Amino acid sequence: MVSAEPPRPALCLAGPAIVSTASTGASGRDAEVESFGLQPLKTATHLPGKGYPSRPEKEPDGRPCFGEVDKPPANGVLTIEDRILRITGYYGYYPGYSSHKREDGSDSPAETAGSQAGGAPSQCQSCACTALRVLGSLLVVLSISSSWVGTTQVMKLTFQSFSCPFFMTWFSTNWNILFFPIYYSGHLVTGSPKQTPIQKFRECSRIFGEDGLTLKLFVKRTAPFSILWTLTNYLYLLALRKLSATDVSALYCCHKAFVFLLSWIVLKDRFMGIRIVAAIMAITGIVMMAYADGFHGDSIIGVALAVGSASTSALYKVLFKMFLGSANLGEAAHFFSTLGFFNLIFISCIPLILFFTKVEHWGSFSTLPWGYLCGAAGLWLVFNILVNVGVVLTYPILISIGTLLSVPGNAAVDVLKHEVIFSVVRLAASFIICLGFLLLLLPEEWDSMTLRFLSTFAEKKGEEPGEELSESSVHTRSRSRANGAVSIPLA
């Protein structure tokens, strides 16, 4: 007896296999009687939407198929799903299917709930990270504002017993030498590839060029920035002797407008009408501040000194962008420490000249207010570190907002501690300058972004009446059907 199985498709059989048999008659004649029989099903087709319950196995000819058919449960009790499938004669059904699926747990509601519960921690972690980032940004902004307010107020207090602004500027600038050691200490704590101080110093010195820091570059690149740095701080302190801390901090915010004008002229940055308006507002605030006490006396001199400080600060930033470009945190720390060394080596002669010429004369070193001097220098260093670190951790716009918040901070200290009374003109001038400062923070694509937002808002506003109308028509149809009538809307 010869058994031959007809050819099957590449996939496993969806039903029982048909076997053809040929038998020889008893009379000896080769009469072939062909009969057909059924073989046990070797495979089971999967239910729609269901996975394969048993492990795959290959047929002798190499075709993939299921090896064993799951047996009914040992206790003989079939589940409701098994009974329904058996009664309805579902094609490809085999006992124990639903119980096997439950054991696998692939379609169980408990697993679905578990997967949803598993996704919940990831969402909670993302929300926690976002909340921490927001809180960190707010902390950086408040720290920058507080450090700048503290620096201005401590300098103002120092003038009561020690009126030597250039010595104070020179002493505070020397503290910039500590910037790179502080940065390297943070690198040892957080950096994964540890580097020696010399290696890190050489790596960060690439801000001066591919060859690093040489004596020629040290003098050529550091000298102009050191002079501008000293002039900015010196003029700022001179203005504090003439004006209140609030007025000086408000006038110093005009440096943002000067940066835009210089960048537009020197760096050929994009022209923006809104920033021209902001620059005009800054100039208007300056004129109003000068007019507050009349165009005479210490007021006009103080305003001129504060505007000079803002101008040199803007020139410093534009030249830095032109010659050195952008810098990361390590390069900024290297640059600030280099400024401190240049100040200590080359600028130290100027305080001595002012001392011997009695322009800035002080007694013995023991009589100097070292507490105020060190406090102001430390706060100034913290402000510079926070500004550079904040750019890495948060957004630059938040750093600018932190500087702007120093105006109301100084105003609160002046009113509560020094009992300063501000005139309406001064308050209006400070408000106009701060408003111009905020306009300068707008991105370059602010106009297209505003138009997109307004168009989206108008579309949503236009969709709401249509939705309300459709809901009302649905209620009308339901009431009409209840009363036996149908409401047909007019075309």
Side-chain angles (χ1 to χ4, degrees):
M1 180 172 65
V2 178
S3 173
E5 186 174 339
R8 294 187 296 179
L11 298 177
C12 298
L13 286 176
I18 301 176
V19 180
S20 175
T21 59
S23 59
T24 306
S27 60
R29 292 182 297 120
D30 295 336
E32 295 182 355
V33 180
E34 194 172 9
S35 63
F36 297 89
L38 295 180
Q39 279 188 346
L41 184 65
K42 292 184 179 180
T43 178
T45 55
H46 65 283
L47 297 177
K50 300 288 186 176
Y52 291 101
S54 59
R55 55 182 178 84
E57 209 175 64
K58 289 187 178 181
E59 288 287 332
D61 55 354
R63 288 170 296 179
C65 194
F66 289 100
E68 297 178 358
V69 179
D70 289 346
K71 299 178 181 180
N75 53 8
V77 179
L78 299 177
T79 60
I80 296 176
E81 185 179 353
D82 290 328
R83 292 178 181 178
I84 292 174
L85 294 176
R86 185 180 63 182
I87 294 172
T88 57
Y90 191 88
Y91 192 68
Y93 157 75
Y94 59 93
Y97 177 82
S98 60
S99 59
H100 183 90
K101 291 292 289 180
R102 283 194 190 89
E103 289 175 3
D104 287 345
S106 58
D107 224 4
S108 62
E111 183 178 355
T112 305
S115 62
Q116 295 177 354
S122 61
Q123 295 179 356
C124 294
Q125 290 177 359
S126 62
C127 293
C129 292
T130 304
L132 289 176
R133 185 175 180 82
V134 171
L135 291 177
S137 302
L138 292 176
L139 182 61
V140 170
V141 170
L142 293 177
S143 300
I144 290 174
S145 177
S146 303
S147 60
W148 188 239
V149 170
T151 302
T152 305
Q153 293 294 332
V154 173
M155 288 292 187
K156 189 76 174 176
L157 291 174
T158 309
F159 282 131
Q160 297 177 1
S161 57
F162 185 74
S163 183
C164 297
F166 195 89
F167 179 84
M168 295 164 62
T169 302
W170 172 82
F171 181 77
S172 300
T173 306
N174 288 335
W175 282 53
N176 287 340
I177 299 175
L178 301 176
F179 202 147
F180 187 80
I182 294 174
Y183 164 75
Y184 183 73
S185 301
H187 163 72
L188 291 178
V189 175
T190 60
S192 52
K194 307 300 181 182
Q195 294 178 329
T196 62
I198 301 298
Q199 292 175 342
K200 197 65 180 176
F201 188 84
R202 290 177 178 174
E203 177 185 344
C204 296
S205 63
R206 293 177 183 174
I207 188 175
F208 295 99
E210 294 296 332
D211 298 333
L213 183 62
T214 60
L215 182 60
K216 181 181 178 181
L217 287 176
F218 175 73
V219 177
K220 181 181 178 180
R221 294 293 177 87
T222 311
F225 293 106
S226 180
I227 293 172
L228 289 174
W229 176 276
T230 303
L231 277 177
T232 300
N233 297 331
Y234 179 60
L235 293 175
Y236 188 87
L237 295 182
L238 287 177
L240 279 178
R241 293 201 303 183
K242 304 292 183 180
L243 301 175
S244 64
T246 304
D247 296 341
V248 175
S249 59
L251 290 169
Y252 183 75
C253 289
C254 295
H255 78 278
K256 199 77 174 177
F258 299 152
V259 167
F260 163 69
L261 294 175
L262 289 174
S263 300
W264 177 41
I265 297 172
V266 178
L267 302 179
K268 307 300 180 181
D269 282 358
R270 178 184 173 186
F271 174 82
M272 293 182 61
I274 190 66
R275 293 186 179 179
I276 290 292
V277 174
I280 294 174
M281 293 176 67
I283 296 172
T284 304
I286 293 171
V287 174
M288 292 178 64
M289 191 74 71
Y291 177 74
D293 294 332
F295 293 97
H296 62 276
D298 293 341
S299 178
I300 187 65
I301 297 175
V303 171
L305 292 172
V307 173
S309 176
S311 302
T312 53
S313 175
L315 184 59
Y316 172 91
K317 293 181 179 180
V318 172
L319 291 179
F320 187 94
K321 185 177 181 180
M322 179 186 295
F323 293 108
L324 300 178
S326 60
N328 55 34
L329 181 58
E331 293 173 347
H334 183 283
F335 183 77
F336 273 91
S337 296
T338 306
L339 283 182
F341 275 112
F342 187 91
N343 180 81
L344 181 63
I345 296 171
F346 296 100
I347 309 295
S348 299
C349 59
I350 298 179
L352 296 176
I353 294 173
L354 295 177
F355 174 78
F356 288 113
T357 56
K358 296 187 179 180
V359 176
E360 289 187 0
H361 184 73
W362 62 89
S364 61
F365 283 97
S366 59
T367 59
L368 294 179
W370 291 111
Y372 286 135
L373 290 175
C374 293
L379 288 173
W380 215 325
L381 177 64
V382 169
F383 172 77
N384 292 324
I385 292 176
L386 289 175
V387 166
N388 290 276
V389 173
V391 172
V392 178
L393 299 180
T394 60
Y395 304 98
I397 188 174
L398 297 179
I399 309 304
S400 301
I401 291 175
T403 305
L404 180 64
L405 290 178
S406 64
V407 178
N410 280 313
V413 175
D414 286 342
V415 170
L416 297 176
K417 183 175 180 59
H418 305 293
E419 298 180 356
V420 178
I421 300 175
F422 298 102
S423 62
V424 179
V425 179
R426 288 184 179 276
L427 291 177
S430 300
F431 177 77
I432 291 174
I433 292 174
C434 293
L435 183 59
F437 188 92
L438 289 176
L439 291 179
L440 289 167
L441 298 180
L442 292 176
E444 293 184 356
E445 304 295 335
W446 71 274
D447 47 354
S448 58
M449 295 169 60
T450 305
L451 291 176
R452 285 198 299 268
F453 173 76
L454 292 177
S455 62
T456 306
F457 181 76
E459 290 176 359
K460 291 183 178 179
K461 202 71 176 176
E463 291 175 358
E464 290 179 358
E467 293 176 357
E468 293 176 358
L469 181 61
S470 62
E471 291 177 0
S472 62
S473 62
V474 169
H475 293 311
T476 304
R477 290 194 185 95
S478 62
R479 288 196 301 268
S480 300
R481 290 192 181 94
N483 297 329
V486 178
S487 172
I488 301 177
L490 297 176

